[in-house]
Amino acid sequence: MKSLTFLGSAIGALLLALAAVQASPPLPASSESQPALAISTQIAATSDAELESESDTTPIRGANIGGVFLIEPFIKPSLFDQFLSRNKADIPVDEWTLTVALGKVEAKRQLEEHWDTFVTRDHLETMAESGINWIRIPIGYWAFNLTDDEPYVDGQVPYIERLLEWSRDIGLKVELDLHGAPGSQNGYDNSGRRGVPEWLHSRINVDRTLDALAKMTQMAADWSDVVYGIQILNEPSRWKWAVKDIFAFYNEAYDLVRSIAPDVLFMIHDTFLGPNEWPTLVSPRWTQALMDTHIYQMFDSYMVTMNETAHIDMVAKMAEDITKFDKSNIGVVVGEFSAATHDCTKYINGLGRGSRWEGTLEGIADHPLCPFPTCSCTGDYGSNYTEYSTHYKRFLRSYVDAQLAIYDQELAGWFFWNFRTEGAPEWNYILGVEQGWIPSFPRTAWPKLNESNAIVFEDAPTFRTASEAGGSRYQFTKSLHGIATTLGITAVTTCCILLSL
């Protein structure tokens, strides 16, 4: 079976572009050129007697399963809206205060229903059909290490393992992500507790973090044919902690993870440092390591004021030093990004905090910061995607294409945030593919069948170390036996992103 390689010729590019038309749902007809990710598929078959190994350079194409095992208000506002009749000071703003407000018994009831229903096997199947080959599962530490004096409830593990079982059946690889640490590593609601972070102020917090990480890594070891990556901690903030202290934790976590799962991908967050400073977070002794960076353009008062062309241009500017690091050090995965360029999304800045767009974000914006004379979180910038104009949907597609042109082709890959939401369309991967502002790719996730049916095992992807920088790109090795499989590669046309502004 031949190795799939990038088609660099003009003929290859034309074939890729034709395939892209079939791969993604169309947007409304327009006389203007539409940017597209060019996508090609190839069918390859082997006989039952054949056993071949194939390497391809298919990147990580993932979606986050966020807001399930660590609740975020903007992903599922209804869990918090049940308290809106209370005084503002008594309305919960994160999972800690949500469980305080509900009490242990009712919190367990409501959250078990949420864990059971918010993500389903059908969601994973749908994403695999659109080209997703990885999922990232954010998990709060309290799923593994909960003390009696904390209001959180546990019981998430059976539901996480059900996700792993579905992923095994479908053929998705999984990254387990420790998304919240004791004391909060950043003070954001996405850590489980909004407010002043206390994480590194206490060795007890660090030890509990490592205990949760050890149990999560043991889960990875137990599900080694499904879990390929461990993110040791999401978004520890360099604004809160000295970089040298975060790096010390990373080193301690590395030794712990490698003692349990020697081959799993070891994934660290950039702590919001600029790419030129990332080498301070990386040890040359690490193997199978990736840098995780999160790229957004709406959590900044200047970027919110930019017009659509500027947002698209900013994608390449923000990625320039990232791609340099990727080529000279460990690989980089964009662990979070979205289609949004505004902060109108309900609760996106935190419950009760307002927006830069309308000038209502407490302590940040005292006047509207959108790029228009009138700033309103309605229409194209509201929560009802059926009210989006054709122009805005075309912009969303152009903006996503501009991001994927880099994340999919020049880095180790990406995870869209999020797989779905209750009412945040630009953050909803499944909806975006359905509506056409997120492109589809050929399916590359396939179930691992038993030997009589033939796909026997899929080896872990191999990434270079920092000391091997400049070597081969990322290799994902598969063993195939007795099946016909569809494999895909991508190229990107970057010459014609046209917008009518």
Side-chain angles (χ1 to χ4, degrees):
M1 195 179 299
K2 297 179 180 179
S3 296
L4 297 178
T5 57
F6 182 75
L7 302 180
S9 68
I11 294 175
L14 176 60
L15 293 173
L16 291 173
L18 290 173
V21 174
Q22 297 177 327
S24 301
L27 290 172
S30 170
S31 61
E32 300 182 57
S33 300
Q34 296 297 309
L37 287 176
I39 298 169
S40 174
T41 61
Q42 177 174 333
I43 306 294
T46 59
S47 68
D48 286 340
E50 241 178 344
L51 180 63
E52 299 183 82
S53 290
E54 228 184 60
S55 292
D56 66 65
T57 53
T58 302
I60 294 170
R61 293 176 180 146
N64 282 277
I65 311 298
V68 181
F69 306 113
L70 195 158
I71 310 301
E72 296 190 35
F74 98 91
I75 294 175
K76 192 170 182 180
S78 62
L79 284 171
F80 296 83
D81 288 349
Q82 62 185 304
F83 298 100
L84 291 183
S85 61
R86 293 186 174 189
N87 293 328
K88 182 178 179 180
D90 297 326
I91 298 173
V93 296
D94 51 30
E95 187 161 346
W96 179 284
T97 51
L98 176 67
T99 51
V100 168
L102 291 171
K104 288 276 189 180
V105 174
E106 181 61 14
K108 189 66 171 280
R109 186 192 70 79
Q110 289 195 24
L111 292 182
E112 280 192 333
E113 180 181 0
H114 172 67
W115 302 332
D116 189 43
T117 60
F118 196 68
V119 57
T120 67
R121 182 182 178 123
D122 285 346
H123 292 136
L124 301 192
E125 289 277 11
T126 296
M127 291 192 292
E129 283 298 321
S130 68
I132 291 297
N133 52 26
W134 283 68
I135 59 172
R136 178 176 181 250
I137 306 177
I139 307 168
Y141 73 87
W142 50 95
F144 305 105
N145 184 308
L146 179 63
T147 59
D148 291 339
D149 60 340
E150 294 176 312
Y152 297 124
V153 294
D154 55 13
Q156 297 90 337
V157 168
Y159 297 93
I160 296 168
E161 291 182 331
R162 184 175 68 172
L163 260 181
L164 299 182
E165 186 67 46
W166 292 340
S167 297
R168 172 185 283 156
D169 292 345
I170 294 167
L172 294 167
K173 298 182 180 71
V174 173
E175 172 195 335
L176 297 178
D177 159 37
L178 190 61
H179 215 70
S184 177
Q185 70 275 22
N186 54 35
Y188 304 148
D189 60 16
N190 64 28
S191 71
R193 192 170 189 182
R194 193 172 105 181
V196 178
E198 300 289 341
W199 174 51
L200 287 184
H201 289 333
S202 164
R203 181 65 208 187
I204 293 175
N205 287 339
V206 175
D207 289 342
R208 292 185 65 203
T209 305
L210 292 170
D211 178 72
L213 180 61
K215 291 170 181 172
M216 193 173 77
T217 305
Q218 186 59 55
M219 179 181 287
D222 294 342
W223 294 79
S224 60
D225 62 324
V226 180
V227 180
Y228 289 81
I230 288 287
Q231 178 142 9
I232 59 170
L233 188 60
N234 180 70
E235 296 184 352
S237 175
R238 55 100 173 178
W239 295 300
K240 312 295 184 183
W241 319 110
V243 173
K244 65 179 180 63
D245 294 333
I246 297 175
F247 179 60
F249 170 78
Y250 283 3
N251 262 318
E252 195 169 356
Y254 178 82
D255 291 336
L256 172 68
V257 169
R258 284 289 171 258
S259 71
I260 300 170
D263 299 319
V264 73
L265 289 175
F266 178 78
M267 306 169 86
I268 64 168
H269 182 255
D270 63 19
T271 77
F272 306 111
L273 284 172
N276 291 332
E277 297 178 89
W278 289 357
T280 63
L281 296 170
V282 178
S283 170
R285 72 186 179 91
W286 294 351
T287 60
Q288 289 286 82
L290 283 179
M291 179 68 72
D292 168 41
T293 190
H294 302 166
I295 303 178
Y296 294 120
Q297 290 191 29
M298 80 295 299
F299 299 124
D300 179 89
S301 294
Y302 169 71
M303 289 188 186
V304 167
T305 69
M306 297 190 312
N307 64 27
E308 293 172 347
T309 299
H311 278 297
I312 291 174
D313 290 344
M314 184 59 73
V315 170
K317 292 177 184 177
M318 294 178 74
E320 184 176 351
D321 289 335
I322 295 173
T323 56
K324 289 178 182 177
F325 179 89
D326 175 89
K327 291 176 174 60
S328 64
N329 208 294
I330 62 174
V332 179
V333 61
V334 180
E336 296 183 19
F337 73 104
S338 78
T341 55
H342 62 80
D343 66 340
C344 282
T345 302
K346 184 177 180 180
Y347 304 155
I348 193 63
N349 293 308
L351 194 152
R353 284 188 165 166
S355 70
R356 297 168 184 82
W357 193 266
E358 292 186 323
T360 58
L361 182 57
E362 59 181 33
I364 301 294
D366 58 3
H367 63 280
L369 295 176
C370 82
F372 308 113
T374 301
C375 301
S376 174
C377 290
T378 59
D380 285 346
Y381 310 104
S383 61
N384 185 353
Y385 71 91
T386 66
E387 296 180 356
Y388 287 177
S389 66
T390 298
H391 169 82
Y392 184 62
K393 286 188 280 189
R394 288 175 42 246
F395 162 68
L396 292 178
R397 177 57 184 262
S398 297
Y399 180 58
V400 172
D401 279 353
Q403 294 183 84
L404 292 181
I406 297 171
Y407 310 161
D408 194 82
Q409 292 299 299
E410 298 187 37
L411 302 176
W414 48 269
F415 292 89
F416 190 90
W417 188 280
N418 193 36
F419 82 108
R420 66 176 290 228
T421 62
E422 269 189 342
E426 297 101 330
W427 299 82
N428 187 326
Y429 174 83
I430 293 173
L431 177 67
V433 172
E434 174 190 297
Q435 295 298 312
W437 62 72
I438 298 176
S440 292
F441 291 84
R443 180 165 181 159
T444 56
W446 299 102
K448 302 173 183 66
L449 306 176
N450 60 35
E451 290 191 5
S452 63
N453 287 316
I455 295 188
V456 288
F457 185 71
E458 191 159 351
D459 297 327
T462 301
F463 293 86
R464 60 175 183 256
T465 66
S467 61
E468 297 170 332
S472 62
R473 293 297 290 170
Y474 320 104
Q475 298 297 313
F476 297 81
T477 303
K478 304 178 184 180
S479 296
L480 306 178
H481 177 215
I483 61 159
T485 183
T486 304
L487 299 172
I489 58 175
T490 67
V492 181
T493 58
T494 58
C495 61
C496 46
I497 296 179
L498 301 178
L499 288 173
S500 171
L501 299 175

